[in-house]
Amino acid sequence: MRAHVFRGRFAPLVLDGFVRDFDVRTREEGFHVIHSWNHREHHFTRENTPVLMLDRFAEEWSAARATPRVQALLLDHYFFYVLAVMAMRAWDEGDPNENLDRVTGLLRHLQGPHGSGHQFVARAETLMLMAISHFHPDESAYPRLLEKIRTLDRAHRVHFALAEAAILGSHLRWGFAVLYRRDLGRMRSDNVGDYPWLLFSVATLMKEYVRLREEDGCADRRARVLEGLIDGLTPDPWAFTGAPPEALRPYNEEHAGFREAFAEHRVDLLEEFERLRPGREAYSPLSFHCNFPHNAIMAKVSIQLADENAPNLPMDAMFTRAGAWHEDGAGSGEPAEDSGSEVDPRRADPAAFVSANHPEALARYLMAYSGASPERLGRRGARLIIYDPNVGLRYYKMALQAMRSGS
């Protein structure tokens, strides 16, 4: 994994050339995808992330636990990062839309029946956003990448917007309560780079909502877009329904376009948002809060290494209600449709629910993992991953109140 060369009973698999080349190009643009940021020592790790996971497993478990399934998962985790650095190079040559779809196809192959079967993410867009979600000192890297994403076709922009609205919504909701003690000004000043991405997400989803309203037979896809829209609005609805904060002033035209469209459809949006009210009867992404999504990926892999019966869902499943995502449409050029299936944990057998392959089960596994030892807690002693329907409902009510007032 360190050398990107694999030898066995087959011809050597030599990935060193293109992996190092792609990694160098990506670093030159400001992103360290294969290595993680060490927050204690304030530099990127010397070892790549898959090697760190392998070392962690070796420290915590005996060699007897390294079953074929475990070895396959550790190897798949390595290839997850190889595909991530490939996705980052989608704009280098050819059509970036087609290149992203090729990476999505490779993801499906990686997560298919010939490996560990672990589900990391469903699409290349989510893969990219996971790969860049940890801290990067070069703050100019993010607006440059956002401008690349703006050049994609409508369907791929929507896929990015759906994933990014959920990721930033989760990240900022966590920060608003834990880091900033509900101080909106502090949150805005500490996340200047995030707000243009959030504006891109909600503005893109608003345009998609308007487009789908004008077409017949698109109710399911419209529901998914609505869910992404409220996910992105809940941390700071005032930033988009009122005057733009400092971070969004360079994007006045995009901000004004969102406000105009929102004002025109406000009554219908508020009515449709009522169907997305969080509660204990069904999973809601508004109740899922995570400081950085790459921590959730690491936790997901760690949980699967320890317990083969743990829920096995891609992170995309955490961004929507139960049953409202699926992989069948991956690479098809259209957002996945909502199947409408939901699980009520109060009506299911509790033991069966905990082991079920269901977003709420995974969310609760991740929350338990994040609080299982002091070193996994944040600087303030808070869990880095939280699932709480009561907190989700509070954010929902706060957002709807702001949207009703329009300021």
Side-chain angles (χ1 to χ4, degrees):
M1 291 181 184
R2 184 183 292 132
H4 309 294
V5 178
F6 296 85
R7 294 181 174 86
R9 292 175 294 175
F10 43 79
L13 178 63
V14 181
L15 306 177
D16 178 63
F18 90 84
V19 172
R20 290 189 189 277
D21 177 37
F22 284 10
D23 188 35
V24 167
R25 292 193 217 174
T26 304
R27 289 184 188 214
E28 288 173 349
E29 294 176 351
F31 292 109
H32 293 240
V33 170
I34 299 179
H35 293 75
S36 303
W37 179 258
N38 186 318
H39 287 273
R40 290 193 179 92
E41 300 178 11
H42 303 286
H43 61 71
F44 286 99
T45 57
R46 183 178 64 84
E47 293 284 15
N48 65 50
T49 302
V51 170
L52 291 176
M53 178 62 76
L54 185 61
D55 288 345
R56 182 187 301 176
F57 177 82
E59 291 171 2
E60 295 182 0
W61 304 100
S62 68
R65 292 294 297 269
T67 62
R69 181 192 70 85
V70 164
Q71 294 180 55
L73 176 52
L74 290 167
L75 185 60
D76 284 358
H77 183 240
Y78 164 81
F79 281 109
F80 172 81
Y81 281 91
V82 171
L83 292 183
V85 79
M86 289 173 67
M88 295 295 293
R89 310 315 318 155
W91 286 264
D92 285 3
E93 181 181 338
D95 184 342
N97 301 289
E98 294 178 0
N99 292 338
L100 288 170
D101 285 345
R102 291 174 68 189
V103 174
T104 295
L106 289 169
L107 267 172
R108 297 183 70 183
H109 183 69
L110 174 69
Q111 299 169 166
H114 302 296
S116 69
H118 183 74
Q119 304 296 302
F120 295 94
V121 296
R123 294 192 56 91
E125 295 90 341
T126 314
L127 173 67
M128 277 187 60
L129 295 174
M130 291 289 164
I132 65 170
S133 66
H134 58 268
F135 175 74
H136 290 88
D138 183 0
E139 295 182 357
S140 65
Y142 289 96
R144 289 196 299 266
L145 179 58
L146 181 56
E147 290 310 305
K148 285 185 176 182
I149 291 171
R150 291 182 188 277
T151 68
L152 296 171
D153 63 26
R154 177 194 57 79
H156 287 86
R157 291 196 308 273
V158 170
H159 283 303
F160 266 111
L162 286 170
E164 188 65 358
I167 288 170
L168 281 177
S170 173
H171 169 65
L172 293 176
R173 287 193 300 270
W174 182 90
F176 184 62
V178 176
L179 282 184
Y180 310 117
R181 305 299 187 189
R182 304 182 68 81
D183 185 328
L184 196 61
R186 286 182 60 202
M187 185 173 80
R188 288 179 175 181
S189 64
D190 199 34
N191 294 273
V192 171
D194 289 336
Y195 272 78
W197 284 75
L198 199 53
L199 174 60
F200 162 79
S201 298
V202 297
T204 299
L205 294 175
M206 177 59 71
K207 289 178 182 176
E208 185 69 0
Y209 170 78
V210 173
R211 186 187 74 83
L212 292 173
R213 278 178 59 90
E214 297 170 356
E215 297 183 5
D216 295 328
C218 293
D220 290 337
R221 290 203 298 275
R222 191 169 80 238
R224 179 69 187 93
V225 168
L226 281 161
E227 194 165 48
L229 192 54
I230 195 167
D231 215 344
L233 289 171
T234 43
D236 186 358
W238 304 277
F240 306 102
T241 60
E246 185 70 29
L248 294 181
R249 288 180 184 171
Y251 304 89
N252 268 328
E253 185 176 347
E254 188 174 28
H255 188 275
F258 172 84
R259 288 189 68 187
E260 182 180 348
F262 184 87
E264 181 179 352
H265 298 282
R266 182 196 309 274
V267 173
D268 291 334
L269 282 166
L270 291 173
E271 181 180 343
E272 295 196 80
F273 283 154
E274 284 293 336
R275 304 189 190 103
L276 301 176
R277 178 182 293 266
R280 294 188 176 276
E281 68 281 359
Y283 175 80
S284 170
L286 298 181
S287 303
F288 183 69
H289 309 151
C290 177
N291 71 329
F292 292 110
H294 77 281
N295 287 329
I297 287 286
M298 300 295 285
K300 242 168 68 63
V301 173
S302 298
I303 289 167
Q304 279 287 324
L305 288 171
D307 181 3
E308 63 179 322
N309 295 314
N312 183 16
L313 291 167
M315 283 303 299
D316 306 67
M318 309 305 294
F319 303 159
T320 181
R321 293 163 297 149
W325 77 277
H326 55 71
E327 300 159 294
D328 297 342
S332 66
E334 291 294 342
E337 295 186 4
D338 187 345
S339 68
S341 61
E342 293 186 350
V343 174
D344 185 342
R346 299 180 303 179
R347 297 173 186 161
D349 174 71
F353 173 72
V354 168
S355 62
N357 216 29
H358 183 272
E360 183 167 342
L362 178 56
R364 294 193 180 280
Y365 261 84
L366 292 171
M367 182 169 67
Y369 176 86
S370 71
S373 60
E375 61 268 19
R376 294 178 190 167
L377 300 175
R379 286 176 297 173
R380 298 177 182 272
R383 295 174 190 254
L384 301 182
I385 303 173
I386 298 169
Y387 182 75
D388 190 331
N390 292 326
V391 175
L393 182 59
R394 285 202 296 272
Y395 277 106
Y396 171 86
K397 289 180 176 179
M398 177 185 75
L400 258 65
Q401 182 178 2
M403 287 186 262
R404 288 192 182 100
S405 65
S407 63

